[in-house]
Amino acid sequence: MSFSTSDTFRPVILDDVRGAQKMLSGVARVTAMEGSRHLSQLVGSPVHLKCENLQRTGSFKLRGAYVRISGLRPEERAAGVVAASAGNHAQGVALASSLLGVRSTVFMPVGAPLPKVAATREYGADVRLQGQIIEETLDAAQRYAERTGAVFIHPFDHADIIAGQGTVGLEILEQCPEVRTIVVGVGGGGLAAGIAVAVRAVRPDVRLIGVQAAGAAAYPPSLAAGRPVTVASPMTMADGIKVGRPGDLPFRIIGELVDEVRTVSEDALSRALLLCLERAKLVVEPAGAAPVAALMSDPKDFPGPVVAVLSGGNVDPLLMQRVLRHGMAAAGRYLSLRLRLTDRPGALAALLKELTVLDANVLDVGHVRTDPRLGLTEAEVELQLETQGPEHCEEVAAGLGAAGYTVTVIR
């Protein structure tokens, strides 16, 4: 199979996706489909997780990148390729280029997570850090392409890319032929568009739902307007779907073939990431957890069996730490409170003993004895506690109140 690079916006059909599947045989993994008992109980029907977080390079991006670069003419390969990405597309292009013997240059934003930068270099790319935001990085990569003749590999707005990503859809139909709903995260739209092309052609009855982070949701207003529109300053922890404008070709496909695109909050993303880690034992980045967040937010709105696509697992360890704490707080498993007690020997020890009885795990204690707001014999204590959930939070606060403490819950 060979796609002409001049056919960037040609229609993508099932034969293209099937051709891409043959091309990717032995290159991309046929990733696992894992059942989730917790989500199945929540939704009321079987829920399966399509684990693209376990794909080579840690995301689905290798699929499209390999198909796109494979289709280049010999003279284009000789000129090399260039891409811009905060992480996943960068690694996909780097590995695909190395496998095909093509020189690759990848522009990444200044401040991109160091593990992603290191991985991209290890896959063989010449990494250049430029731009504070991805749009600036993208401009730098396009200028490099114009200056050097290198072929720009767009992360989602090309027929070859969409055909490659669509192989995820074919695998879903093979692994879960009884599927009724597929839920997939949406950034620029390449993955959702590819899955839609494959699934609609074979199983037009399957419901297809895209999911975006609420702070970077360009598709709902674009679909309402009937054309791609730009969201100014998209903000979300899910950098894998943090895209301010839909791709032109994915937009047309999604508008025609996807049933709906809904949004999820940052709290929902955090809770979903935590659930994947605790219940499924899967490391998933926030963007990859977006479909799970949608299921958790409105579980009765998904006819089953359901397949949720975990699109990637490349999460920076520092971000993971922050997201997990946020997810535990969003799930009601952290309690921050402030209270005053008499400033006398043993008062703090008595408070901590009371917390032991209430089965609350103390994470941090702030003890203030000198403050103009305090009385002469008062001290103020601020506590960070780990609890067993929202009901336990209420029990702890009530128990401290019953023990004679005046409690102010911070969150």
Side-chain angles (χ1 to χ4, degrees), residues 274-363:
L274 182 63
L275 182 139
C276 288
L277 187 62
E278 286 191 327
R279 299 297 182 94
K281 314 307 178 190
L282 292 169
V283 176
V284 182
E285 62 190 270
V292 174
L295 293 177
M296 294 173 67
S297 298
D298 197 1
K300 301 306 179 184
D301 197 32
F302 298 88
V306 179
V307 172
V309 181
L310 307 182
S311 57
N314 291 318
V315 57
D316 178 63
L318 294 177
L319 175 62
M320 172 71 86
Q321 185 180 41
R322 294 197 300 270
V323 170
L324 289 178
R325 289 185 67 88
H326 185 82
M328 291 184 72
R333 290 170 55 185
Y334 280 153
L335 175 63
S336 296
L337 49 83
R338 184 183 299 117
L339 50 82
R340 292 188 182 184
L341 43 76
T342 302
D343 186 15
R344 57 177 174 77
L348 181 58
L351 170 62
L352 296 177
K353 183 177 180 180
E354 190 67 38
L355 290 169
T356 300
V357 173
L358 293 168
D359 202 22
N361 185 32
V362 179
L363 300 175

Side-chain angles (χ1 to χ4, degrees), residues 103-383:
R103 184 178 70 257
S104 64
T105 302
V106 175
F107 285 79
M108 302 181 75
V110 175
L114 294 179
K116 293 185 179 182
V117 174
T120 304
R121 286 192 172 120
E122 289 174 8
Y123 287 129
D126 174 16
V127 175
R128 305 189 181 191
L129 302 179
Q130 192 163 335
Q132 298 298 321
I133 57 175
I134 192 62
E135 285 76 15
E136 295 173 354
T137 307
L138 188 64
D139 288 342
Q142 290 173 325
R143 289 196 303 271
Y144 177 88
E146 294 168 359
R147 185 172 69 252
T148 65
V151 179
F152 179 67
I153 307 299
H154 199 283
F156 48 81
D157 212 357
H158 195 283
D160 300 12
I161 296 288
I162 292 171
Q165 320 305 31
T167 59
V168 175
L170 293 181
E171 290 179 16
I172 289 172
L173 295 179
E174 292 164 1
Q175 294 170 311
C176 185
E178 68 278 13
V179 63
R180 292 183 61 198
T181 303
I182 296 174
V183 191
V184 57
V186 179
L191 177 61
I195 290 175
V197 168
V199 172
R200 277 281 178 260
V202 180
R203 285 280 310 280
D205 59 303
V206 172
R207 188 179 181 203
L208 300 174
I209 298 177
V211 183
Q212 293 204 287
Y219 265 89
S222 297
L223 292 170
R227 57 180 175 78
V229 299
T230 301
V231 173
S233 303
M235 293 295 294
T236 175
M237 72 177 78
D239 58 355
I241 54 174
K242 186 181 176 181
V243 179
R245 182 186 185 278
D248 291 326
L249 182 54
F251 174 77
R252 293 205 294 269
I253 295 172
I254 288 173
E256 180 182 353
L257 300 180
V258 173
D259 291 290
E260 66 171 303
V261 178
R262 57 178 61 188
T263 63
V264 293
S265 68
E266 299 295 285
D267 281 355
L269 288 169
S270 298
R271 291 195 301 270
L273 189 149
L274 182 63
L275 182 139
C276 288
L277 187 62
E278 286 191 327
R279 299 297 182 94
K281 314 307 178 190
L282 292 169
V283 176
V284 182
E285 62 190 270
V292 174
L295 293 177
M296 294 173 67
S297 298
D298 197 1
K300 301 306 179 184
D301 197 32
F302 298 88
V306 179
V307 172
V309 181
L310 307 182
S311 57
N314 291 318
V315 57
D316 178 63
L318 294 177
L319 175 62
M320 172 71 86
Q321 185 180 41
R322 294 197 300 270
V323 170
L324 289 178
R325 289 185 67 88
H326 185 82
M328 291 184 72
R333 290 170 55 185
Y334 280 153
L335 175 63
S336 296
L337 49 83
R338 184 183 299 117
L339 50 82
R340 292 188 182 184
L341 43 76
T342 302
D343 186 15
R344 57 177 174 77
L348 181 58
L351 170 62
L352 296 177
K353 183 177 180 180
E354 190 67 38
L355 290 169
T356 300
V357 173
L358 293 168
D359 202 22
N361 185 32
V362 179
L363 300 175
D364 192 24
V365 178
H367 188 205
V368 179
R369 302 175 66 189
T370 56
D371 190 296
R373 298 178 296 108
L374 298 175
L376 185 62
T377 61
E378 286 183 321
E380 186 173 77
V381 176
E382 188 168 312
L383 296 166

